[in-house]
Amino acid sequence: DQGQYTCNGSVDINGNPASKIDTGKWRACSSILGGEFCGALAYYGVGTNLVSYLTKVQNQGNLTAASNVASWQGTCYLTPLLGSFFADSYWGRHRTIVISMTIYTVGMVLLTLSAVVPANNNTLVVSPKDTLTSLGLFLTALGLGGIWPCVPPFGADQFDETDGAEKTQKELYYNWYYFAVNGGFFLASTVLVWVQDNCGWKLGFGIPTLVSAIGVAGFLATMKIYRYQRPGGSVLTRIFQVLVAATRKINVNAPIDSSLLYEMPGKDSAIVGSRKLMHTDGLNFFDRAATFTGSDEIYHETTNPWKLCTVTQVEELKILLRMFPILLTGVIFNTAEAMLPLFIEQGELMDNNMHGFSLPPASLTTFNCLCILVLAPTYNKVLMPMMSRFTGNKRGLSEFQRIGIGMVFAMLSMVSAALVEMFRLHSVKNRVLDHENTAVPMNILWQAPQYSFVGIAKVFSVVGVIEFAYEQSPDAMRSLCQACSLAMVTFGSYLVCIMLKFINEVTARLPGQGSHGWIPEDLNQGHLDKFFLFMAGLQLLNLLAFVYCATRYKRKLAT
């Protein structure tokens, strides 16, 4: 009976059509979300306090440690491009996740051993402690490359999007996925950081290592009830085949009637694990790749794909090109979170005394996390029904609307930070502290809104991007599109680094600035408020660019 099996091409562990009753849905997702929670706890358990470990235990200088942490974090967001390629092309998402989780856990074990091994006083020889740390960090970054781009789509694979009821449940999954990630982050940045500072690094790294191993075991324990999507072969090869075939026929005009373009007969696509895609107008140059000419020959219903491609293959490339501008707006959006170190520096020059208790400026990042933990489940239960009354959309908001709202809050976080800095600098001038690198009597909790706005922005935009990357990407390229969205986080951080240096050098030459720019060592002499306003303007321009791209976006048409 066709009604007993999924219709989106998913199979069970034995390679047979997946049963709707015995596989997938929330029963399978519970172990996926649990594994993601464990992975997030392990990652943030290392990353949140890594700079302290490198300075206090490895005896690295502040600049060297900060540079090493930034390099490691940047690598963690770029390795998904490699992991996603293997997942979509050869291994499939499940196998990639298992291999990557194993690599990641081995890296965690090496980091834990680095905290156990005694230091080597011989400075002329590379110590085992340094070797274990470097190798451990490398393996964790490599492991994350297969986990981060594959877990969100693998969880979404557990719901059949051709079934209305399951499609609705899948839309709730994205919020719970992000909730699991930030639940792990919250525990890591509070409990684990306390353990590392008060109980030592052996236990501080040992706990996340154990949690990571538990996540792997839980993920493997439910293999029989997962739904699997088969890998579709090399993504890059298919892209280059379309480019080569279209270029070869540069003097050939594609037919006006799209039904004359080449496609595989029957209901199955030429790409394993992918549904057929219907032809869409636009980017017509690539339609030449699917256009018959006298030299094209078909043997046993197959062709030379370097000369003649199917419509589905051509549409894959069109989809990627259409998605790229939307994903690119994520670079500017992610600069908002990259501002958190500046928020902390701003907070260090404010009054952090709370009824006799000294509140660390970095602890305000919990406002960011708490907003996510409250809003993610609240969106499903409260905001979604409310929004659906106004939008007429059962989901409450489309993925584009969610991304756009998130961008508005990213802009508001910059405006809020600028207003706080304006009042802080006003207090500096009133007390003639502009030549003293000291705190002003302004309560640090005034920073709470700017942190909260970043958290709200992430709940809307990040979840919206995850949904967009899954729903609109070609079936056989879903991990790759997730990896591209993750890469935008790194590019956003790189952009902030470049802009900080560039703007500070340019503003130092402005009349009345003295020998320093907007962001000097002593922020009491600077104009951090102007930099925040500049970034708010950049976020506004980015929002307008996103709206322009979103209103002109052509959605994919899957059969």
Side-chain angles (χ1 to χ4, degrees):
D1 182 8
Q2 281 295 111
Q4 293 181 352
Y5 301 102
T6 58
C7 299
N8 64 344
S10 58
V11 296
D12 62 18
I13 192 171
N14 298 314
N16 301 317
S19 167
K20 282 190 175 183
I21 299 171
D22 299 326
T23 64
K25 294 181 282 193
W26 287 110
R27 190 161 61 120
C29 276
S30 58
S31 63
I32 295 172
L33 293 174
E36 181 57 33
F37 170 80
C38 292
L41 181 67
Y43 167 72
Y44 290 112
V46 172
T48 303
N49 214 18
L50 181 59
V51 70
S52 296
Y53 177 72
L54 295 179
T55 53
K56 295 175 183 177
V57 180
Q58 300 287 60
N59 297 318
Q60 294 183 6
N62 288 333
L63 186 61
T64 303
S67 176
N68 287 336
V69 172
S71 299
W72 176 71
Q73 289 176 333
T75 305
C76 288
Y77 279 96
L78 289 178
T79 52
L81 293 171
L82 178 65
S84 64
F85 173 77
F86 283 103
D88 285 340
S89 301
Y90 305 113
W91 294 345
R93 283 187 268 279
H94 179 266
R95 183 180 297 179
T96 304
I97 293 170
V98 172
I99 293 171
S100 301
M101 278 184 162
T102 305
I103 294 172
Y104 181 80
T105 304
V106 171
M108 289 297 300
V109 169
L110 294 180
L111 277 175
T112 305
L113 288 175
S114 75
V116 175
V117 172
N120 185 358
N121 294 324
N122 188 348
T123 56
L124 299 177
V125 180
V126 178
S127 69
K129 198 177 192 71
D130 292 340
T131 303
L132 287 170
T133 302
S134 300
L135 188 57
L137 290 174
F138 170 76
L139 289 178
T140 53
L142 186 63
L144 288 169
I147 297 170
W148 282 354
C150 294
V151 171
F154 185 66
D157 287 343
Q158 306 311 307
F159 302 96
D160 184 0
E161 59 194 20
T162 65
D163 181 299
E166 289 196 23
K167 185 177 174 68
T168 302
Q169 293 300 307
K170 182 180 68 176
E171 288 153 4
L172 301 179
Y173 161 77
Y174 299 119
N175 286 317
W176 285 114
Y177 165 78
Y178 204 50
F179 178 84
V181 171
N182 283 277
F185 169 63
F186 181 72
L187 283 179
S189 60
T190 51
V191 177
L192 273 181
V193 168
W194 184 88
V195 169
Q196 290 163 353
D197 288 344
N198 294 276
C199 303
W201 292 94
K202 297 175 186 176
L203 196 60
F205 281 165
I207 291 173
T209 300
L210 179 62
V211 169
S212 179
I214 292 171
V216 175
F219 186 77
L220 291 173
T222 49
M223 285 176 62
K224 289 184 178 180
I225 63 172
Y226 290 143
R227 295 174 183 174
Y228 303 87
Q229 291 286 348
R230 290 169 291 186
S234 175
V235 171
L236 294 177
T237 300
R238 295 202 302 275
I239 290 172
F240 281 114
Q241 283 172 344
V242 175
L243 293 173
V244 170
T247 304
R248 281 185 172 191
K249 300 174 181 176
I250 195 166
N251 296 319
V252 175
N253 292 322
I256 297 174
D257 184 356
S258 61
S259 65
L260 299 176
L261 296 172
Y262 174 66
E263 182 57 278
M264 286 282 289
K267 66 176 185 177
D268 294 329
S269 166
I271 303 165
V272 177
S274 176
R275 294 167 295 171
K276 282 185 177 179
L277 294 169
M278 297 171 63
H279 176 265
T280 57
D281 295 329
L283 300 173
N284 295 328
F285 169 80
F286 301 108
D287 288 341
R288 291 176 168 84
T291 302
F292 280 106
T293 62
S295 61
D296 292 322
E297 297 177 345
I298 301 177
Y299 297 100
H300 304 291
E301 298 185 352
T302 61
T303 64
N304 180 352
W306 293 97
K307 294 182 178 180
L308 182 64
C309 303
T310 63
V311 169
T312 297
Q313 197 173 337
V314 171
E315 288 299 316
E316 276 191 331
L317 179 56
K318 286 186 179 182
I319 288 170
L320 289 181
L321 292 174
R322 287 168 179 155
M323 291 180 73
F324 184 71
I326 300 289
L327 294 175
L328 199 60
T329 59
V331 175
I332 301 296
F333 170 77
N334 282 298
T335 60
E337 189 172 18
M339 289 290 160
L340 294 189
L342 277 181
F343 289 1
I344 293 170
E345 290 181 9
Q346 182 188 44
E348 287 172 346
L349 295 175
M350 298 174 72
D351 181 14
N352 64 341
N353 196 323
M354 301 293 295
H355 304 291
F357 175 73
S358 182
L359 189 68
S363 66
L364 265 72
T365 55
T366 54
F367 280 100
N368 175 10
C369 189
L370 285 172
C371 277
I372 295 169
L373 291 176
V374 171
L375 250 168
T378 303
Y379 182 85
N380 294 339
K381 300 291 184 182
V382 181
L383 291 179
M384 186 184 288
M386 286 176 56
M387 294 290 188
S388 62
R389 295 175 189 171
F390 295 101
T391 63
N393 188 335
K394 290 182 180 179
R395 294 182 296 167
L397 297 169
S398 69
E399 63 265 47
F400 283 157
Q401 290 169 332
R402 287 192 71 155
I403 295 170
I405 290 173
M407 288 180 171
V408 170
F409 278 101
M411 179 180 65
L412 291 177
S413 72
M414 295 297 103
V415 173
S416 176
L419 290 174
V420 168
E421 186 65 7
M422 284 179 187
F423 283 110
R424 198 191 68 79
L425 289 176
H426 181 71
S427 181
V428 166
K429 288 184 179 178
N430 285 345
R431 289 168 174 76
V432 197
L433 299 172
D434 49 341
H435 292 289
E436 299 179 32
N437 193 18
T438 57
V440 298
M442 180 178 177
N443 196 295
I444 196 172
L445 288 182
W446 283 105
Q447 284 192 307
Q450 65 202 56
Y451 282 102
S452 301
F453 286 149
V454 172
I456 296 169
K458 288 173 68 179
V459 168
F460 280 98
S461 273
V462 174
V463 176
V465 168
I466 292 172
E467 185 178 351
F468 169 71
Y470 184 87
E471 299 293 337
Q472 290 303 308
S473 60
D475 292 352
M477 295 185 181
R478 281 173 166 162
S479 299
L480 176 64
C481 291
Q482 290 289 344
C484 289
S485 68
L486 288 168
M488 301 306 155
V489 178
T490 297
F491 297 148
S493 297
Y494 290 163
L495 181 61
V496 168
C497 293
I498 294 168
M499 291 181 68
L500 282 170
K501 186 176 181 180
F502 176 75
I503 288 176
N504 209 40
E505 288 181 356
V506 170
T507 54
R509 300 170 190 160
L510 296 176
Q513 282 294 130
S515 60
H516 55 76
W518 284 356
I519 316 161
E521 287 295 318
D522 180 4
L523 292 180
N524 287 345
Q525 298 182 39
H527 277 290
L528 192 58
D529 55 333
K530 292 182 180 179
F531 179 72
F532 284 142
L533 285 175
F534 174 81
M535 294 305 296
L538 203 59
Q539 291 284 358
L540 176 60
L541 291 175
N542 188 55
L543 173 63
L544 295 175
F546 169 76
V547 171
Y548 177 84
C549 295
T551 52
R552 285 158 177 77
Y553 183 81
K554 283 190 177 180
R555 294 182 175 273
K556 74 173 183 181
L557 300 174
T559 55

